[in-house]
Amino acid sequence: MNKTELVAAMADQAGISKKDAEKALKAFTDVVAEELKKDGKVQLVGFGTFEVSKRAEREGRNPQSGEPMKIAASKAPKFKAGKALKDMLNA
């Protein structure tokens, strides 16, 4: 499902226009991104949690030359599914 299909499904499910559904989706993604940027987390009980995963600096190897190289520390977004979502998928 791509963004257009998601917006159409949200509009149909909520009984709103596609334009309003697109605004709601944009607002949701913006709010989640802003919270993660502040190292916060967004927890939706029953659905899941969006949070930031921190990766420490480590040493890796250049695949072409085999030379050791430093891989810088970084942050990555992470989604952890909630129990209700897992149960629904496994039912």
Side-chain angles (χ1 to χ4, degrees), residues 16-34:
I16 58 176
S17 71
K18 287 182 183 178
K19 192 171 191 168
D20 288 342
E22 189 167 2
K23 274 189 201 174
L25 180 60
K26 172 115 176 74
F28 173 76
T29 56
D30 288 349
V31 167
V32 170
E34 247 341 279

Side-chain angles (χ1 to χ4, degrees), residues 23 35 45 74 83 91:
K23 274 189 201 174
E35 187 62 25
V45 176
S74 64
K83 184 177 180 342

Side-chain angles (χ1 to χ4, degrees), residues 1-3 5-7 9:
M1 176 180 279
N2 63 28
K3 182 181 174 184
E5 294 167 339
L6 177 61
V7 167

Side-chain angles (χ1 to χ4, degrees), residues 22-55:
E22 189 167 2
K23 274 189 201 174
L25 180 60
K26 172 115 176 74
F28 173 76
T29 56
D30 288 349
V31 167
V32 170
E34 247 341 279
E35 187 62 25
L36 294 179
K37 194 174 178 182
K38 296 186 289 188
D39 281 341
K41 72 179 183 179
V42 177
Q43 188 171 5
L44 303 171
V45 176
F47 184 72
T49 304
F50 297 91
E51 57 190 336
V52 177
S53 174
K54 295 178 179 146
R55 297 180 182 155

Side-chain angles (χ1 to χ4, degrees), residues 60-75:
R61 295 214 173 266
N62 181 330
Q64 288 182 332
S65 65
E67 291 290 315
M69 58 186 276
K70 292 243 186 250
I71 300 173
S74 64
K75 295 178 185 178

